[in-house]
């Protein structure tokens, strides 16, 4: 059974108010919706692209003017169709669904790769509402694919903070992957919480580093999703349904699914396949 009030699961039609090109493969779409206005960082929407498909997307921000946003990488049929939409076009939204990042402590390490930056940029904005210290590692393949650097700089500008940019080809920041600086950072500093989102192998490396340093960890994970509300079973991760029990998982939950985490996912037929 779905635990959501029915209103969340109703498809609402919303008008795209604004589209921002973040980089050649990623766009952010802004729209107004009362339920999305109250979304928390880590929650996701099921977004209907008319005539094409419905796909899960993290809420990438909520704004004082009543707008909410999703940030979308062009990877296949539905996301390509979404990239072709224009201002004033209509999309459908259900949600926000799932749990959210829990805020605990006041010294945080955030590590994001690719569109995993979407929920983390939103989280950084929430964390920055209270006095705290943030180290943010941003990973991307190249400078062209970097996401939200200026937004993060602005968010962290009033805080004690450090931003580390890693690009795989060395075209900006330091050359390497997002997890490269982790072990040094964790040797030098004690954090209250590590938050991660991005490719699952990146999340697993960050999780193992957090375990070694004995630091609590939360990560937002992705699986194929159809219903988004815990009914269809297409998003299973071990005993969990990612849409209903996640998408944010804690250290102890990840320990429970360690065999499947970053090793297997379900394909569109529901079969378990190696990642
Ligand atoms: C909770 C959650 C939050 C997400 N947040 C974002 C986000 O903020 N920005 C973003 O760009 N992407 C996000 N995704 C991934 C996004 O849903 C997929 O990229 C999208 O569904 C691909 O659809 P497509 O038709 O364009 O590509 P397809 O041709 O269907 O597939 C391309 C790739 O995307 C994967 N994929 C396809 N459908 C899904 C699905 N329903 N769920 C998960 N993965 C899928 C496939 O395994 C394949 O690797 C999120 C996924 C989940 C589960
Ligand atoms: S998407 Fe249907 S159970 Fe999670």
């Amino acid at each position: 059974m779905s635990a959501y009030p029915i209103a969340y699961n109703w498809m609402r039609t919303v008008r795209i108010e604004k589209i921002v090109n973040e980089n050649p493969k990623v766009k952010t779409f802004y729209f107004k919706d009362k339920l999305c206005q109250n979304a928390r960082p880590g929650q996701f929407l099921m977004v209907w692209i008319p005539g094409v498909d419905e796909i899960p997307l993290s809420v990438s921000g909520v704004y004082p003017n009543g707008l909410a946003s999703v940030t979308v990488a062009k990877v296949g049929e539905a996301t390509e169709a979404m990239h072709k939409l224009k201002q004033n076009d209509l999309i459908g939204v259900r949600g926000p669904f799932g749990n959210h990042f829990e805020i605990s402590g006041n010294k945080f390490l955030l590590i994001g790769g690719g569109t995993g930056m979407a929920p983390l940029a939103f989280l950084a904005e929430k964390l920055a509402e209270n006095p705290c210290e943030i180290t943010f590692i941003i990973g991307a393949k190249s400078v062209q694919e970097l996401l939200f650097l200026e937004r993060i700089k602005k968010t962290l500008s009033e805080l004690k903070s450090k931003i580390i940019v890693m690009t795989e080809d060395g075209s900006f920041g330091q050359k390497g992957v997002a997890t490269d600086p982790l072990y040094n950072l964790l040797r030098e500093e004690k954090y209250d919480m590590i938050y991660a989102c991005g490719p699952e192998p990146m999340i697993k490396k960050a999780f193992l580093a957090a375990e070694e340093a004995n630091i609590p960890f939360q990560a937002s994970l992705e699986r194929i999703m159809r219903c988004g509300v815990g009914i269809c079973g297409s998003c299973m991760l071990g005993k969990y349904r990612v849409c209903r029990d996640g998408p944010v998982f804690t250290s102890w939950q990840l320990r429970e699914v360690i065999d499947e985490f970053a090793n297997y996912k379900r394909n569109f037929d529901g079969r378990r396949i190696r990642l």
Side-chain angles (χ1 to χ4, degrees), residues 112-245:
T115 47
M117 286 296 295
L120 289 186
F122 182 19
L123 173 66
E125 284 162 359
K126 271 277 171 279
L127 296 174
E129 286 173 3
N130 293 301
C132 66
E133 193 178 327
I134 296 180
T135 299
F136 205 136
I137 309 177
I138 307 177
K141 285 202 166 67
S142 67
V143 65
Q144 286 84 19
E145 295 189 29
L146 259 184
L147 199 54
F148 292 143
L149 178 57
E150 291 311 313
R151 178 176 170 190
I152 302 294
K153 277 187 187 165
K154 196 170 156 209
T155 305
L156 305 191
S157 60
E158 307 282 309
L159 302 175
K160 187 168 180 210
S161 65
K162 193 188 302 180
I163 300 174
I164 301 170
V165 179
M166 302 297 300
T167 52
E168 287 177 31
D169 66 357
S171 51
F172 193 86
Q174 299 174 42
K175 185 172 177 169
V177 294
T179 46
D180 286 349
L182 258 186
Y183 282 90
N184 274 347
L185 284 172
L186 297 183
R187 253 193 304 273
E188 289 160 12
E189 306 271 352
K190 180 85 185 147
Y191 297 93
D192 295 321
M193 184 67 73
I194 300 178
Y195 298 100
C197 189
E200 211 157 300
M202 180 212 91
I203 295 178
K204 182 129 184 208
K205 270 194 192 169
F207 167 68
L208 294 174
E211 289 286 271
E212 209 176 302
N214 204 18
I215 295 175
F217 184 84
Q218 295 177 42
S220 175
L221 302 183
E222 290 187 8
R223 283 293 178 274
I224 301 286
M225 288 184 184
R226 291 183 204 280
C227 70
V229 291
I231 295 168
C232 72
S234 62
C235 64
M236 298 301 292
L237 169 70
K239 65 179 188 181
Y240 293 116
R241 291 178 187 225
V242 173
C243 68
R244 183 196 60 194
D245 305 315

Side-chain angles (χ1 to χ4, degrees), residues 26 42-46 52-60 70-81 115-116 118-119 220-226 242-243 247 265-266 268:
V26 178
Q43 289 194 295
F44 69 94
L45 307 177
M46 293 302 293
V52 186
D53 202 355
E54 192 188 28
I55 57 169
L57 294 169
S58 304
V59 178
S60 61
V70 287
T71 298
V72 187
K74 195 165 49 167
V75 296
E77 192 191 359
T79 47
E80 271 176 28
T115 47
S220 175
L221 302 183
E222 290 187 8
R223 283 293 178 274
I224 301 286
M225 288 184 184
R226 291 183 204 280
V242 173
C243 68
K265 66 171 189 176
R266 309 254 160 194
F268 284 103

